[in-house]
Amino acid sequence: MSILKNDPNVIALKSPISQELDLYIKPLTGVCFTMVERSRYYSIIWVQTGQGKVIYDFNEHVFRAPCMLFFSPFQPFQFVDGQDISGINLHFSADFYCIEKHREEVSCSGVLFNNAYDVPLINDIGDMEAEFANIISQMKEELSGNANPDAELLLSYLKIFLIKATRIKKTQLQITENQPITESKNSTLRQLKQLIEENFRTEKNPSDYAEKLHISTKALGKLTKAHFHKTLTALIRERVIIEAKRELFLTNKLIKEIAYDLGFEDPYYFSRLFKKQTNLSPEQFREQYFR
């Protein structure tokens, strides 16, 4: 059976090889995520009632139902000031469905997940709530009603869920822009975010990304400034600092190890840059979260 013996409220699909959970669904009730969560799963938190504040990657944002939040594996997040929260948790492993490997199928990487440039949340689900609820219901039925749930069927349901959520998020991102943006420019920006995600450790010059996108550095800089209200250099540095914070918080690596992992030959330069961006040295940042 796919209902877990140690928690009858959780229904799950186990890998036939590793016996690890590939996908699981459980209710979101009462006080939740009060401690920092660092799940190895992709996490979709559907808040159906209530409100609160989410801290993610050391940023804060207020949320109110109905909404969905999306977190990548090992991305730290925490709820504070939660009030009357209820809903659904949907989690899936990268082994079950790797969004980076199959990005052309769903296009949620850089939109729902791995988006360092926007709040990992969609609001105003509105008329789509019934459709999302139906998909979850079908997944639950397959998981709990069969001794051997069909993984391919569950994967299809998951893809449909992600596609619909991605469409809502893209629409909301478009609406928040001050100026309309052409599909061509939008495509360039999506590619840029993906390229930064893939290369920020090794490539930190704007010209590196302009070359990959076959656009002049000046033109890419103007587009980035108009869309993100930041320079391309600032975007790259922000992504580096987010990863540095995660490493400082999640690991016991030495500062110099983190610096080398992030592509800095000089650990002292890395420390100066980190302090300039955060007003704390790497050591002070780590101490602040482990007092």
Side-chain angles (χ1 to χ4, degrees), residues 64-78:
R64 184 187 301 273
C67 67
M68 291 182 188
L69 298 111
F70 301 83
F71 301 102
S72 302
F74 304 109
Q75 181 179 6
F77 70 92
Q78 179 182 11

Side-chain angles (χ1 to χ4, degrees), residues 55-87:
I55 301 174
Y56 62 96
D57 284 331
F58 314 99
N59 298 304
E60 294 185 3
H61 189 81
V62 174
F63 65 85
R64 184 187 301 273
C67 67
M68 291 182 188
L69 298 111
F70 301 83
F71 301 102
S72 302
F74 304 109
Q75 181 179 6
F77 70 92
Q78 179 182 11
F79 285 4
V80 295
D81 301 328
Q83 300 176 28
D84 304 318
I85 293 176
S86 68

Side-chain angles (χ1 to χ4, degrees), residues 182-250:
T182 65
E183 181 55 35
S184 175
K185 290 181 179 179
N186 201 25
S187 175
T188 299
L189 290 166
R190 285 198 301 268
Q191 291 179 64
L192 172 61
K193 289 193 293 184
Q194 188 65 43
L195 285 170
I196 292 175
E197 193 66 30
E198 294 172 352
N199 299 284
F200 69 89
R201 295 175 184 272
T202 56
E203 298 180 352
K204 298 178 174 60
N205 294 321
S207 59
D208 295 330
Y209 297 91
E211 183 178 350
K212 291 178 185 294
L213 290 168
H214 307 292
I215 186 174
S216 72
T217 304
K218 183 177 180 180
L220 183 59
K222 287 179 65 177
L223 182 58
T224 304
K225 188 73 172 178
H227 186 77
F228 296 117
H229 310 292
K230 298 173 184 177
T231 66
L232 181 49
T233 297
L235 283 180
I236 299 166
R237 284 182 177 175
E238 282 184 6
R239 185 63 188 90
V240 170
I241 296 303
I242 286 173
E243 198 66 24
K245 287 179 177 179
R246 291 179 181 176
E247 291 287 305
L248 289 165
F249 183 75
L250 297 172

Side-chain angles (χ1 to χ4, degrees), residues 248 254-256 267-268 270-271 274-275 280-290:
L248 289 165
L254 299 174
I255 306 301
K256 65 179 181 180
Y268 295 104
F270 162 73
S271 294
F274 188 93
K275 187 167 186 177
L280 294 170
S281 69
E283 293 85 356
Q284 290 170 329
F285 178 86
R286 178 173 269 169
E287 289 171 4
Q288 174 178 286
Y289 282 93
F290 286 96

Side-chain angles (χ1 to χ4, degrees), residues 39-288:
S39 172
R40 68 181 184 85
Y41 293 89
Y42 290 100
S43 300
I44 302 173
I45 316 299
W46 181 3
V47 181
Q48 296 173 317
T49 67
Q51 60 186 20
K53 183 189 297 181
V54 61
I55 301 174
Y56 62 96
D57 284 331
F58 314 99
N59 298 304
E60 294 185 3
H61 189 81
V62 174
F63 65 85
R64 184 187 301 273
C67 67
M68 291 182 188
L69 298 111
F70 301 83
F71 301 102
S72 302
F74 304 109
Q75 181 179 6
F77 70 92
Q78 179 182 11
F79 285 4
V80 295
D81 301 328
Q83 300 176 28
D84 304 318
I85 293 176
S86 68
I88 294 170
N89 288 317
L90 171 60
H91 306 268
F92 62 95
S93 70
D95 290 334
F96 183 64
Y97 188 65
C98 180
I99 63 170
E100 286 85 3
K101 183 178 179 181
H102 302 284
R103 69 171 68 116
E104 297 301 323
E105 291 182 334
V106 176
S107 301
C108 62
S109 183
V111 179
L112 301 179
F113 303 99
N114 301 326
N115 186 352
Y117 317 99
D118 189 67
V119 181
L121 174 147
I122 58 174
N123 288 306
D124 304 322
I125 300 169
D127 296 339
M128 295 295 294
E129 279 196 276
E131 292 192 42
F132 285 123
N134 183 52
I135 296 170
I136 293 294
S137 177
Q138 290 175 307
M139 295 176 82
K140 285 182 175 181
E141 182 179 348
E142 180 64 26
L143 285 166
S144 59
N146 296 281
N148 296 298
D150 190 316
E152 287 300 319
L153 180 59
L154 289 163
L155 185 58
S156 296
Y157 289 144
L158 176 63
K159 288 179 184 178
I160 293 169
F161 192 102
L162 292 173
I163 287 169
K164 290 182 179 295
T166 300
R167 286 175 178 170
I168 295 174
K169 181 64 174 180
K170 285 181 176 178
T171 299
Q172 293 180 356
L173 288 173
Q174 187 75 21
I175 290 172
T176 57
E177 290 304 308
N178 293 327
Q179 298 177 351
I181 184 168
T182 65
E183 181 55 35
S184 175
K185 290 181 179 179
N186 201 25
S187 175
T188 299
L189 290 166
R190 285 198 301 268
Q191 291 179 64
L192 172 61
K193 289 193 293 184
Q194 188 65 43
L195 285 170
I196 292 175
E197 193 66 30
E198 294 172 352
N199 299 284
F200 69 89
R201 295 175 184 272
T202 56
E203 298 180 352
K204 298 178 174 60
N205 294 321
S207 59
D208 295 330
Y209 297 91
E211 183 178 350
K212 291 178 185 294
L213 290 168
H214 307 292
I215 186 174
S216 72
T217 304
K218 183 177 180 180
L220 183 59
K222 287 179 65 177
L223 182 58
T224 304
K225 188 73 172 178
H227 186 77
F228 296 117
H229 310 292
K230 298 173 184 177
T231 66
L232 181 49
T233 297
L235 283 180
I236 299 166
R237 284 182 177 175
E238 282 184 6
R239 185 63 188 90
V240 170
I241 296 303
I242 286 173
E243 198 66 24
K245 287 179 177 179
R246 291 179 181 176
E247 291 287 305
L248 289 165
F249 183 75
L250 297 172
T251 75
N252 294 318
K253 291 180 182 178
L254 299 174
I255 306 301
K256 65 179 181 180
E257 290 181 284
I258 295 174
Y260 294 144
D261 287 346
L262 292 174
F264 293 91
E265 296 181 2
D266 182 355
Y268 295 104
Y269 175 76
F270 162 73
S271 294
R272 290 195 300 272
L273 176 64
F274 188 93
K275 187 167 186 177
K276 182 179 180 180
Q277 298 293 116
T278 67
N279 294 319
L280 294 170
S281 69
E283 293 85 356
Q284 290 170 329
F285 178 86
R286 178 173 269 169
E287 289 171 4
Q288 174 178 286

